[in-house]
């Protein structure tokens, strides 16, 4: 009589099992906030500290955001390759598509509002704060799906501080985005480094 032993089938890796390393994303977005919004805060308003070309803060912000988006996409694709569960893979793909949908919707909302309301500074106010709000909500969704409380907490902070910044007007809202947003990314970078070290 022969006895056959079969190895148990490997269970599929779920969203909670697949880790997304957000360290480089946090660094890129943090630098975008600190350099882009920081230079805008220093160069705008009646008591401007620096005389900078008007395009420079936006260029610094755009460069950092583009780098952060590339890093976030690479991290998400690495996580997708490690996923063996089809439901988790579909969830990751939908979260990736959410970035495109959310920013197209934000573009349409800001463009429509600036067309309907005769306020020359409305896009200057809404793009930075609206972007922080949208990114914050996406981080909340990603954090909930991946059970990553750091990502979830950062998203909550960004969504709340970005929208609260609108109460201050220009250039005060740039200071909130720089200090509250950039500071949150700096703290998240340190905590993400520790989290990855302990995994």
């Amino acid at each position: 009589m022969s006895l056959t032993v079969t190895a148990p089938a490997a269970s599929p890796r779920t969203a909670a099992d697949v880790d997304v390393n957000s360290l480089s994303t946090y660094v890129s977005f943090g630098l975008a906030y600190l350099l882009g919004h920081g230079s805008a805060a220093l160069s705008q308003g009646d008591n401007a500290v620096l005389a900078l070309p008007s395009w420079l803060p936006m260029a610094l912000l755009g460069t950092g955001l583009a780098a952060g988006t590339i890093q976030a996409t690479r991290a998400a694709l690495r996580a997708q390759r490690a996923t063996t569960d089809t439901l988790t893979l579909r969830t990751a793909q939908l979260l990736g598509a959410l970035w495109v949908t959310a920013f197209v919707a934000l573009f349409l909302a800001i463009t429509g509002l600036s067309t309907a309301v005769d306020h020359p500074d409305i896009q200057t106010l809404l793009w930075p704060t609206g972007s922080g709000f949208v990114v914050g909500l996406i981080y909340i969704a990603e954090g909930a799906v991946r059970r990553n409380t750091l990502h979830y907490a950062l998203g909550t902070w960004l969504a709340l501080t970005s929208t609260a910044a609108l109460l201050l007007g220009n250039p005060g809202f740039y200071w909130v985005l720089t200090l509250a947003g950039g500071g949150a990314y700096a703290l998240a970078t340190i905590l993400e480094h520790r989290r990855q070290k302990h995994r």
Side-chain angles (χ1 to χ4, degrees):
M1 179 168 132
S2 65
L3 182 63
T4 307
V5 178
T6 57
S11 59
R13 298 185 75 192
T14 65
D17 300 325
V18 177
D19 183 51
V20 175
N21 185 341
S22 298
L23 188 60
S24 57
T25 304
Y26 292 164
V27 169
S28 299
F29 280 138
L31 287 173
Y33 268 65
L34 291 171
L35 297 176
H37 293 317
S39 61
L42 290 169
S43 64
Q44 294 192 15
D46 295 333
N47 300 317
V49 177
L50 295 173
L52 297 175
S54 59
W55 57 266
L56 184 59
M58 189 57 91
L60 291 170
L61 180 66
T63 302
L65 293 180
T69 302
I70 290 168
Q71 296 301 329
T73 303
R74 289 177 63 198
L77 289 173
R78 278 194 304 271
Q80 282 182 26
R81 285 192 293 273
T83 303
T84 57
D85 176 46
T86 54
L87 182 59
T88 301
L89 181 59
R90 173 62 65 193
T91 302
Q93 291 168 341
L94 291 173
L95 283 172
L98 175 59
W99 284 89
V100 176
T101 304
F103 275 96
V104 168
L106 182 64
F107 169 78
L108 293 172
I110 292 173
T111 303
L113 194 56
S114 63
T115 303
V117 177
D118 186 24
H119 192 295
D121 290 336
I122 198 160
Q123 290 200 26
T124 306
L125 286 168
L126 291 182
W127 269 114
T129 55
S131 298
F133 176 65
V134 165
V135 168
L137 292 181
I138 295 172
Y139 279 6
I140 291 170
E142 289 177 341
V145 167
R146 296 179 181 136
R147 298 180 199 160
N148 183 330
T149 53
L150 172 59
H151 208 61
Y152 187 95
L154 177 60
T156 301
W157 180 256
L158 289 173
L160 292 174
T161 56
S162 294
T163 51
L166 282 170
L167 299 171
L168 299 178
N170 191 359
F173 78 99
Y174 281 122
W175 285 111
V176 173
L177 295 174
T178 302
L179 300 174
Y185 272 115
L187 178 60
T189 299
I190 294 167
L191 295 176
E192 178 71 358
H193 178 69
R194 287 184 186 168
R195 190 179 75 84
Q196 291 299 324
K197 206 170 164 183
H198 288 94
R199 282 189 66 85

